[in-house]
Amino acid sequence: MTSAAARHWADEIADAVLQRQAHHVISTGITPSGEFHVGHLREVLTAEAVYRALKERGVSCRFHYVADSMDPLRHVYPFLDPARYREAVGKPLCDIPCPCDGHPSYAEHYLEPFLQAVQKLGITLEVLRADALYRQGKLDAQILTALQHTQTIKRILHEETGREVAEDWSPFTPLCAACGRLTTTRVTGFDVAAKTVSYACRCGHRDTAPVSQAGKLTWRVDWPARWQALGVTIEPFGKDHASRGGSYDTGQRIVREVFGGEPPYPIPYEWIALAGQGDMSSSKGNLISIFNLTQTVPPEVVRYMIFRVRPMRHLVFDPGLPLLNLVDEYDNLQGSQRNARAAELARLDGTPPLGFPFKHLVTLVQLTGGDADKITAILKRQRLPVPPRQVLESRIAYARHWLAHFCPPQLRVELQDTLPPAVAQLSPSQRQALGELAQRLQPEMDGDAIHALVYTLAQACGLPAKELFAAIYLAFLGQPQGPRAGWFLSSLDFDFVRRRLQEAAQGQGEAA
Ligand SMILES: [Zn+2]
Ligand SMILES: [Zn+2]
């Protein structure tokens, strides 16, 4: 690998945009129409990596998140009460009541937990709301320009998408003052000098309103208008917008040919898929909320998960064992040069490394019920580093959450109080090896020493190591698989381990 190939993508982008100009505005935006999920993290975290790389270079840079709070409610989503929300379809999200009645609007209901999670992930961004941008008149100039150049925009849309644009198409969607909908109106005229738009609604209402209060631009015009109004120079967006004839293609031409601006440096990104269930999407219901993820692993690990993969590479999120491995990978930073840079960009002041595998902590939490004192005693016995109490307790909380929400059945560790009946299926050589292990085990052996001993004994008994490991798991857990055996056995009381091995070797419990 050449050193150029090993460069982190955020560094490549930072250097590329600095060829264009010295001051930057990175923009992101997601519609707050439902709970934000792990798939949504790619947008803000892709921007965060570039933002951090630019900050490191001493570049003056702003980081926006624009909540598309003026977007209408498209339909009654499965998670909404139909009786309550049927009549809200077509109204802006900022004007609809929230599902819990505890927030100023529907948009704020979903925005609040997202912004909390963003803060927890160490991202500092300026939150802008589309409804405020419109209603404060920040897009007035672009709205009037777009209305004056409706024919040019129609031509661009036709040329780029190949689709016919309806004769009465308008770049502006009025908001009906009577029924509150965006989806039932059409523009009937506008006055540039008076800065007003006239419209008619299917409900029968006709009106003339100041542009700032009259509605919103349609998506394909809204986006370039926002680039121009906010001076956006860099923007990550989902790959659907990046397709040929997609909204980035039309946006580029509209911002240049209609608004007289330049499009931002584009950073298209791929979706995040949930292992075994395809791309995460609200409509498929295969979501893991950002809140849920931030309860499961430290924020640095969430950042690292996104930073370590180039934006256009597919990312499969597996909350089972791979998520635990990711924590250990981040703690160790033993990845390639590129991963080391990803970890550096991911670092926050918060979480020091655990000092031993997080997977092992997950086992200890299961064996002790998450008791920090008992875990500390086991770590000392195992001669593993004992992290500061606060670090240990916060990692125990993450482990508990993972166990409660994401632990696959085969990784569950339930120590059996008595000899499990499953040992009846052990072969004579498996029993012989377990008996040898009971004899040769010493209290001072650590996990690695026990692990090595298991290999030696398996060989001596003419047994594939896998079969001896399975015998050990059956004897203690009643199932043929479990956590790394040496570390597992050294976590348990020595006398108990020896007695259980002897019982299993004889094929019966003490009471029998
Ligand atoms: Zn609410
Ligand atoms: Zn109406």
Side-chain angles (χ1 to χ4, degrees):
M1 191 189 291
T2 68
S3 64
R7 295 192 73 219
H8 191 268
W9 54 266
D11 292 319
E12 289 174 3
I13 293 171
D15 291 342
V17 298
L18 285 173
Q19 306 276 322
R20 294 184 169 196
Q21 65 246 94
H23 172 78
H24 285 278
V25 176
I26 304 182
S27 187
T28 59
I30 304 164
T31 307
S33 55
E35 190 172 20
F36 286 75
H37 57 78
V38 170
H40 290 128
L41 278 177
R42 202 159 200 179
E43 173 131 346
V44 279
L45 280 172
T46 297
E48 165 72 1
V50 175
Y51 179 70
R52 193 169 268 220
L54 284 170
K55 282 297 205 185
E56 279 182 3
R57 287 160 171 78
V59 175
S60 124
C61 186
R62 298 178 74 166
F63 184 173
H64 287 163
Y65 165 76
V66 185
D68 288 306
S69 49
M70 267 294 268
D71 285 10
L73 183 70
R74 302 266 169 219
H75 43 250
V76 181
Y77 298 106
F79 51 85
L80 295 175
D81 173 9
R84 189 162 181 213
Y85 283 97
R86 199 172 297 125
E87 73 86 35
V89 172
K91 295 182 180 175
L93 300 173
C94 58
D95 292 346
I96 302 173
C98 100
C100 79
D101 292 319
H103 298 89
S105 72
Y106 183 102
E108 296 301 321
H109 175 88
Y110 291 108
L111 210 48
E112 185 191 84
F114 172 67
L115 295 178
Q116 279 171 2
V118 157
Q119 197 177 21
K120 198 168 174 188
L121 292 173
I123 303 170
T124 310
L125 38 70
E126 296 171 59
V127 183
L128 303 174
R129 289 164 174 83
D131 62 294
L133 291 177
Y134 277 107
R135 288 168 180 175
Q136 290 164 4
K138 300 265 165 60
L139 294 162
D140 279 7
Q142 285 75 26
I143 292 171
L144 291 167
T145 304
L147 284 166
Q148 285 175 285
H149 294 85
T150 299
Q151 292 311 319
T152 312
I153 298 173
K154 280 172 72 174
R155 180 170 51 74
I156 292 171
L157 292 179
H158 176 65
E159 285 170 6
E160 293 297 318
T161 67
R163 287 196 293 268
E164 282 310 318
V165 183
E167 190 47 45
D168 62 348
W169 181 88
S170 171
F172 192 73
T173 308
L175 176 66
C176 176
C179 72
R181 290 197 173 76
L182 284 158
T183 45
T184 47
T185 55
R186 64 190 170 83
V187 174
T188 55
F190 61 94
D191 184 329
V192 175
K195 291 176 121 190
T196 58
V197 176
S198 300
Y199 64 88
C201 179
R202 256 189 268 151
C203 76
H205 188 69
R206 305 180 77 90
D207 214 339
T208 297
V211 279
S212 61
Q213 312 302 313
K216 72 184 287 293
L217 291 162
T218 61
W219 161 245
R220 287 202 183 234
V221 185
D222 177 275
W223 202 19
R226 201 185 280 175
W227 295 340
Q228 174 75 353
L230 302 175
V232 178
T233 61
I234 304 165
E235 185 156 349
F237 48 84
K239 63 168 182 179
D240 54 333
H241 298 307
S243 57
R244 181 187 282 268
S247 43
Y248 184 76
D249 274 0
T250 54
Q252 284 195 78
R253 287 196 56 191
I254 293 169
V255 77
R256 285 189 176 124
E257 296 171 36
V258 177
F259 298 132
E262 274 301 307
Y265 183 93
I267 314 176
Y269 59 84
E270 251 290 355
W271 309 130
I272 298 180
L274 188 58
Q277 296 185 51
D279 295 335
M280 263 189 237
S281 85
S282 314
S283 53
K284 286 190 202 159
N286 58 346
L287 308 176
I288 290 174
S289 77
I290 298 176
F291 178 78
N292 203 348
L293 180 61
T294 57
Q295 299 290 303
T296 309
V297 293
E300 291 87 343
V301 176
V302 179
R303 295 165 62 92
Y304 177 67
M305 173 177 94
I306 304 289
F307 292 179
R308 65 199 258 281
V309 178
R310 296 188 79 86
M312 267 313 275
R313 259 186 53 202
H314 208 73
L315 203 155
V316 178
F317 176 69
D318 188 332
L321 188 60
L323 185 59
L324 299 190
N325 289 335
L326 197 65
V327 177
D328 290 337
E329 186 181 316
Y330 176 75
D331 273 351
N332 289 324
L333 310 184
Q334 283 167 354
S336 64
Q337 206 183 334
R338 188 192 313 229
N339 284 358
R341 175 63 176 147
E344 185 179 57
L345 288 166
R347 197 162 301 138
L348 299 170
D349 289 336
T351 320
L354 191 57
F356 59 89
F358 184 59
K359 278 194 289 286
H360 183 50
L361 182 66
V362 168
T363 303
L364 297 184
V365 167
Q366 294 186 86
L367 291 175
T368 63
D371 185 313
D373 289 331
K374 288 182 185 164
I375 290 173
T376 300
I378 295 173
L379 291 174
K380 282 183 180 157
R381 207 169 66 221
Q382 293 183 318
R383 291 192 292 275
L384 287 173
V386 178
R389 186 70 175 200
Q390 213 188 340
V391 175
L392 181 62
E393 281 177 357
S394 92
R395 292 292 188 111
I396 288 173
Y398 288 126
R400 278 176 180 279
H401 195 87
W402 183 82
L403 287 164
H405 291 85
F406 303 115
C407 179
Q410 68 273 19
L411 292 181
R412 232 168 246 300
V413 175
E414 279 176 48
L415 187 62
Q416 303 297 303
D417 292 336
T418 56
L419 188 68
V423 296
Q425 55 184 271
L426 293 178
S427 70
S429 36
Q430 279 176 310
R431 285 179 203 284
Q432 186 204 345
L434 288 179
E436 295 274 337
L437 183 59
Q439 274 183 12
R440 303 265 298 265
L441 211 57
Q442 300 296 325
E444 66 276 5
M445 283 180 173
D446 67 9
D448 289 334
I450 298 175
H451 202 75
L453 178 60
V454 171
Y455 272 101
T456 309
L457 291 177
Q459 206 168 20
C461 300
L463 208 61
K466 217 174 82 186
E467 285 188 29
L468 182 48
F469 283 119
I472 293 168
Y473 297 131
L474 280 171
F476 288 86
L477 305 172
Q479 62 181 27
Q481 70 281 88
R484 215 172 136 79
W487 288 105
F488 169 63
L489 292 181
S490 73
S491 309
L492 305 172
D493 176 73
F494 177 76
D495 293 327
F496 167 78
V497 170
R498 195 159 53 181
R499 197 165 59 242
R500 176 60 60 88
L501 289 170
Q502 283 162 351
E503 287 168 14
Q506 289 155 15
Q508 58 186 25
E510 271 177 335

